[in-house]
Each structure stands twice: as C-alpha cells, then as structure tokens.
C-alpha cells in the first residue's frame, strides 16, 4: 500500500469513527429531548401525568390520551402503546379508560389497549412486550369476518405491587390481586388471588402464600442474605469495591 493510500484509509477510518460518535450523541440528544414528561409533554395532553413520570422516546402509538391517567414517578419504556378507544379523536367521557398508578414501570414494546377500563395499581412493573387489553372480538356469526363482529369489553384490574413477566398477555376480564407474579409468556384470564404466582397458557396458580402455611410449595433456594443493620453508604461502597457515588459527588 502506498503512503497516499495509507493516509486516505486512515482519514476515512477517523471520519467513520467521528461520524459514529456524532450519530450516537445526536440520538442521545433526541431521546433526552423527545421524552414525554409533565414539564415537557410534547404533543400529548394526558388526563394526568404525575410528577416525576416519563415516557421514553421513541414512544409507541398514543391516542385519546385525555382518557389516560398516569400517576407519579412512573417509567414508560420505549415503543409502549397506550391507546384508549377504537380511533384517535374520540370523546370518551370524563372517566379514565386507562389508569396507571404511581411508581409503575412499563417495559419497552408493551401495549395497553383500553376501551372500557384498565387499572394498574401502584408499583406494578412489567417486562418488555406485555399485552394488556379489556376487549376481545366475538365469534358468533360465521357469515362475517371476525374482525368486523361486535367486540366484548370486560374491565381489567392489576393489583398493586404485581410483576408481569416478559411477553405475558392479560386478557379482558382479568383481575389480579396484590403482589401477583405472572410468569413470562403466560396468558391470564379470570381472578388471580393476592400473593400468588401464575404461569402457563392459560395461566394457573403455581405458588401461593398464606399466613398459616407460608409459601406453598416452599422455595427450593435460600433467601438472599440481607445487608446487616446499620451499614453505612461508605461501608457498602468499600464492600462492593465500586464507586457508587452519584456523578459530581465528592
């Protein structure tokens, strides 16, 4: 390779690296400034968007957000669909169609599709690609396409403190109690009692808790060792071996 060719290759390599850095810096800027918050709602006018809550950019499909209420300190991941009603621009009345409590985390790529009532209690967390809907199509008339048959609405409620695993589907009429775990890929319908774990399609209870018997069946692995009482932040940093201080803290 000649000296000129080598210099040209080096220049091109540096240009590619510089271009890559510029693209990533630009995308970080877009994500930061495109995020939806109460202070910076963009084009959206939610019925409620609590303090400290944020919808990551890029958002998914969002329409009729006036019928959607989001409590404080929620994190809504990228590409999350929040839709109320059949079509954009509908007047759905004063009552919310989708209500998300405080402290909720909705994983990226999830869908909350409401037509009558979907209620998530406080501190409900979901993994990615979870689907929750309160509407299903009927299939009674064999002469009509199923998509054109009149749907059926049944309210959905997910109790506070619950965890919905990746890829789970919550069907119309599902009512989950408090602190329920839904295993990844499960399909949930009907009533789910408090303090239980459900799995499968259709989902069934595979573990539950009662004050009399504790967890049944019992856990096979030991509980994590809790931190000793009175451990200071400095001691924890020394134990872990990492600098856990926030940026800028001396």
């Amino acid at each position: 390779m000649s000296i000129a060719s080598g210099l040209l290759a080096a220049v091109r390599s540096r240009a590619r690296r510089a271009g890559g850095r510029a693209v990533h810096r630009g995308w970080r800027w877009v994500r930061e400034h495109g995020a939806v918050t109460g202070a910076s709602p963009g084009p959206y006018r939610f019925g409620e968007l609590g303090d400290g809550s944020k919808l990551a950019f890029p958002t998914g499909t969002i329409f009729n957000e006036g019928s959607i209420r989001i409590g404080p300190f929620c994190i809504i991941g990228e590409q999350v669909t929040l839709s109320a009603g059949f079509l954009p621009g509908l007047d759905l009345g004063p009552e919310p169609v989708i209500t998300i409590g405080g402290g909720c985390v909705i994983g990226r790529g999830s869908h909350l599709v409401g037509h009558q009532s979907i209620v998530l209690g406080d501190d409900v967390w979901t993994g990615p690609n979870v689907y929750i809907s309160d509407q299903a199509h009927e299939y009674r008339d064999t002469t009509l396409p199923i998509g054109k048959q009149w749907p059926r609405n049944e309210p959905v409620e997910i109790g506070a403190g619950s965890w919905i695993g990746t890829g789970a589907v919550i069907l119309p009429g599902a009512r989950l109690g408090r602190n329920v775990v839904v295993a990844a890929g499960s399909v949930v319908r009907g009533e789910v009692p408090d303090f239980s774990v459900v799995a499968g399609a259709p989902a069934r209870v595979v573990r539950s808790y009662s004050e009399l018997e504790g967890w049944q069946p019992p856990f096979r692995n030991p509980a994590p060792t809790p931190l000793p009482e009175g451990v200071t932040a400095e001691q924890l940093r020394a134990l872990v071996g990492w600098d856990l201080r926030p940026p800028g803290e001396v």
Side-chain angles (χ1 to χ4, degrees):
M1 178 183 293
S2 67
I3 295 176
S5 297
L7 289 174
L8 182 58
V11 169
R12 287 174 174 171
S13 177
R14 290 185 179 183
R16 284 194 296 269
R17 289 198 296 270
R21 288 194 295 269
V23 167
H24 283 278
R25 284 197 299 268
W27 182 240
R28 285 196 296 270
W29 187 93
V30 169
R31 291 179 63 188
E32 178 182 348
H33 289 81
V36 175
T37 66
S40 181
Y44 303 112
R45 298 297 178 265
F46 286 92
E48 178 184 346
L49 183 55
D51 291 341
S53 289
K54 177 181 285 189
L55 284 74
F57 184 87
T59 61
T61 300
I62 299 174
F63 60 74
N64 297 325
E65 66 274 11
S67 294
I68 300 173
R69 297 180 184 174
I70 300 172
F73 304 109
C74 291
I75 299 173
I76 312 295
E78 295 179 8
Q79 299 290 354
V80 169
T81 290
L82 300 173
S83 62
F86 284 101
L87 299 167
L90 298 178
D91 182 357
L92 301 174
E95 296 301 318
V97 173
I98 296 176
T99 302
I100 299 174
C104 291
V105 177
I106 310 299
R108 64 184 181 277
S110 294
H111 292 65
L112 277 69
V113 181
H115 297 83
Q116 182 177 352
S117 177
I118 295 175
V119 177
L120 276 60
D122 293 340
D123 301 308
V124 171
W125 289 26
T126 87
N129 303 313
V130 168
Y131 185 85
I132 303 171
S133 183
D134 61 359
Q135 185 178 92
H137 285 281
E138 284 283 348
Y139 181 32
R140 297 175 185 269
D141 189 342
T142 59
T143 66
L144 285 176
I146 296 169
K148 294 183 178 180
Q149 298 193 32
W150 195 253
R152 181 184 69 255
N153 295 336
E154 295 183 76
V156 169
E157 185 173 350
I158 299 176
S162 293
W163 168 263
I164 314 299
T166 300
V169 176
I170 311 299
L171 294 175
R175 293 184 177 273
L176 283 62
R178 294 179 58 87
N179 286 32
V180 166
V181 170
V182 176
S186 297
V187 179
V188 183
R189 59 181 301 177
E191 301 277 344
V192 177
D194 294 346
F195 317 124
S196 59
V197 179
V198 297
R204 62 181 182 86
V205 175
V206 296
R207 177 171 276 122
S208 59
Y209 177 86
S210 71
E211 292 186 1
L212 180 63
E213 297 182 312
W215 284 104
Q216 296 297 325
F219 290 100
R220 291 173 292 185
N221 54 321
T225 303
L227 289 173
E229 292 186 7
V231 172
T232 66
E234 289 296 334
Q235 291 171 329
L236 182 59
R237 291 168 187 160
L239 177 66
V240 175
W242 296 340
D243 186 355
L244 301 179
R245 290 170 296 182
E249 181 181 312
V250 179

